[in-house]
Amino acid sequence: MFSAVARIFRTPDLRRKIFFTLGIIALFRLGSFIPAPFVDFGNVQACLNANQDTSGLYSLVNLFSGGALLKLSIFALGIMPYITASIIVQLLRVVIPRFETLYKEGQAGQAKLTQYTRYLTIALGVLQSTTLITVARSGALFGTTAVSQCTQLITDDSWYAIMLMVVTMTAGTGLIMWMGELVTERGIGNGMSLLIFTSIAAQFPTSLIAIAQSQSVETLLIVIAIGLLIVMAVVFVEQSQRRIPVQYAKRMVGRRTYGGNNTYIPIKVNMAGVVPVIFASSLLYLPALIAQFNQPPAGQAPAPWVQWITNYLTKGDHPLYMLLYFLLIVGFTYFYVAITFNPEEVADNMKKYGGFIPGIRAGRPTAEYLDYVLTRVTLPGAIYLGLIALIPLIAFAVIGASQNFMFGGTSILIIVGVGLETVKQIDSQLQQRHYEGLLR
């Protein structure tokens, strides 16, 4: 293992890519600590110290921003607008035929879709930064708190100050998007995924120290052991796949013979990745967001529906919240897999190039068989995603650890997925230059 790592740094091209990636990651983390204009950094720190539990309304965005959201930094929005824009553009392929046509046009069409994603990212950045500043001005960014500084986070309420903050945070989102594309082009791994990986991993030390201080060292060791078990389970399932054998008939083109080889179609158990968890989390935040903006003035009782949402749909340890969270994840898993994997398209491509599944006729029977297998493989994948998202909440509630610990379902799925993909890329590049790769 150590000799393989040494070979990485002895390879000039690979060494240059790794150092470039690390440099971009360092700049990304630096921007997370620079406050936006007209933000009182002292009051923000006081509110952060008084509100260690960030499991409320903005926990998902704060997770993907590496804690920059609640610090109101120039990178406060993080990579979340780009993730949302990418998902929206991908879903619009089903609704808008033009997007599906561009997707099938190859590299030129993909470039056009990427351009649309960038425009939508900037638009979402403007919308989300405006919402964030509005909530910060109202003093509701940290929820209900007794700290008076949380109502004085912004030093200037004039229109030009608000406009400058919106422009700064939106420009920060555009800069993050550009840095992610630079890493994809010149570095190692997928740039956007690595930036999300960095944001999540950066909060691990703080969370570990908080658990050790608030609970005990024994609780910290239990939490680490649970986290390692979850990581092992995630690695096992993420690598699991159902391989459908495919044979290609021989055909003569001129004097050459093509086809005649055997291959397979890999259908992963978790083909949807972490997207259903993000969908479910975002959808469950909508009622809390609506209730947040319908709070009554001081001294008045809230409306019954606002009180019901506050009691049942804002706390991650409530059974009703867990049940809805699990059901939404299962439903979104089937929905997303149905969008990303089209059995009819795969069957048509196989038929076009002379491929067939042994024992299954080409054409419509092949599409029906693929749909049959996909539906049944997706079920354990959907249940796995739901359990991975719920197990940390249940386990940490039982042992008394804080719920904002980063061994949650979303963070673990992203960290393991990005880590595996990055290691595979490094291994493949090592094998191009040496007979041995990083892994044996």
Side-chain angles (χ1 to χ4, degrees), residues 15-133:
R15 182 177 64 242
R16 183 171 61 252
K17 289 183 177 181
I18 290 178
F19 282 136
F20 179 82
T21 303
L22 293 177
I24 294 293
I25 289 175
L27 290 176
F28 174 66
R29 289 303 302 158
L30 177 64
S32 301
F33 294 95
I34 301 176
F38 305 106
V39 171
D40 193 324
F41 187 72
N43 289 347
V44 170
Q45 288 299 317
C47 294
L48 286 173
N49 295 331
N51 294 269
Q52 296 293 333
D53 186 10
T54 59
S55 61
L57 183 62
Y58 302 101
S59 61
L60 184 68
V61 184
N62 191 58
L63 171 67
F64 286 161
S65 65
L69 175 77
L70 297 181
K71 296 175 184 176
L72 294 175
S73 69
I74 59 175
F75 286 170
L77 302 181
I79 204 70
M80 198 64 184
Y82 182 84
I83 296 175
T84 307
S86 301
I87 294 174
I88 290 175
V89 171
Q90 196 166 13
L91 295 178
L92 285 178
R93 287 169 40 200
V94 183
V95 182
I96 303 177
R98 170 65 177 166
F99 280 31
E100 183 66 23
T101 304
L102 288 174
Y103 179 76
K104 295 179 179 179
E105 285 182 357
Q107 186 175 1
Q110 294 286 346
K112 198 69 175 178
L113 288 178
T114 302
Q115 187 177 2
Y116 291 154
T117 304
R118 292 170 181 166
Y119 293 151
L120 186 57
T121 300
I122 299 301
L124 290 175
V126 173
L127 178 62
Q128 293 184 15
S129 60
T130 305
T131 304
L132 175 61
I133 294 170

Side-chain angles (χ1 to χ4, degrees), residues 249-280:
K250 292 183 179 180
R251 54 194 180 96
M252 296 291 297
V253 179
R255 295 184 178 181
R256 294 186 178 182
T257 303
Y258 292 91
N261 57 335
N262 299 328
T263 183
Y264 59 87
I265 300 175
I267 297 182
K268 296 181 63 177
V269 174
N270 180 26
M271 186 175 291
V274 74
V275 174
V277 181
I278 297 176
F279 276 8

Side-chain angles (χ1 to χ4, degrees), residues 340-352:
T340 55
F341 188 91
N342 189 348
E344 294 183 359
E345 182 179 350
V346 175
D348 290 341
N349 291 333
M350 289 172 53
K351 185 177 181 180
K352 185 186 301 182

Side-chain angles (χ1 to χ4, degrees), residues 137-397:
R137 289 176 62 192
S138 66
L141 181 61
F142 292 91
T144 56
T145 177
V147 181
S148 60
Q149 291 92 330
C150 294
T151 60
Q152 303 171 1
L153 300 178
I154 298 176
T155 59
D156 192 345
D157 283 345
S158 57
W159 68 269
Y160 63 86
I162 303 302
M163 184 67 67
L164 182 59
M165 293 181 66
V166 170
V167 171
T168 301
M169 291 184 179
T170 305
T173 298
L175 183 59
I176 291 173
M177 181 172 57
W178 177 66
M179 290 193 300
E181 293 178 355
L182 278 181
V183 171
T184 304
E185 181 181 353
R186 303 182 183 179
I188 289 292
N190 183 282
M192 301 299 178
S193 301
L194 280 176
L195 293 183
I196 299 174
F197 178 95
T198 304
S199 300
I200 297 173
Q203 300 185 68
F204 268 73
T206 305
S207 300
L208 292 173
I209 295 173
I211 290 176
Q213 292 176 348
S214 62
Q215 303 293 327
S216 63
V217 178
E218 291 77 9
T219 303
L220 175 63
L221 295 177
I222 293 174
V223 168
I224 293 176
I226 293 174
L228 292 177
L229 291 176
I230 296 174
V231 169
M232 292 172 58
V234 170
V235 171
F236 176 77
V237 177
E238 290 296 321
Q239 298 291 87
S240 302
Q241 57 183 222
R242 166 73 185 275
R243 297 181 176 182
I244 300 178
V246 177
Q247 296 181 1
Y248 284 91
K250 292 183 179 180
R251 54 194 180 96
M252 296 291 297
V253 179
R255 295 184 178 181
R256 294 186 178 182
T257 303
Y258 292 91
N261 57 335
N262 299 328
T263 183
Y264 59 87
I265 300 175
I267 297 182
K268 296 181 63 177
V269 174
N270 180 26
M271 186 175 291
V274 74
V275 174
V277 181
I278 297 176
F279 276 8
S281 302
S282 302
L283 194 60
L284 279 179
Y285 284 150
L286 288 179
L289 181 63
I290 296 173
Q292 185 77 36
F293 285 100
N294 285 274
Q295 294 293 335
Q300 295 185 12
W305 65 272
V306 174
Q307 188 64 39
W308 188 87
I309 291 177
T310 304
N311 292 337
Y312 298 107
L313 296 182
T314 58
K315 298 179 181 179
D317 56 350
H318 196 278
L320 179 60
Y321 182 95
M322 292 184 180
L323 177 62
L324 289 177
Y325 193 31
F326 180 83
L327 294 178
L328 284 174
I329 289 175
V330 173
F332 278 127
T333 301
Y334 274 97
F335 174 72
Y336 191 74
V337 169
I339 291 175
T340 55
F341 188 91
N342 189 348
E344 294 183 359
E345 182 179 350
V346 175
D348 290 341
N349 291 333
M350 289 172 53
K351 185 177 181 180
K352 185 186 301 182
Y353 294 101
F356 63 94
I357 301 173
I360 307 295
R361 294 179 58 186
R364 185 174 181 82
T366 298
E368 293 176 352
Y369 176 77
L370 291 175
D371 183 67
Y372 174 86
V373 174
L374 185 66
T375 302
R376 279 148 184 80
V377 171
T378 302
L379 179 60
I383 296 176
Y384 146 80
L385 281 178
L387 292 179
I388 286 295
L390 291 181
I391 284 177
L393 296 177
I394 299 173
F396 298 140

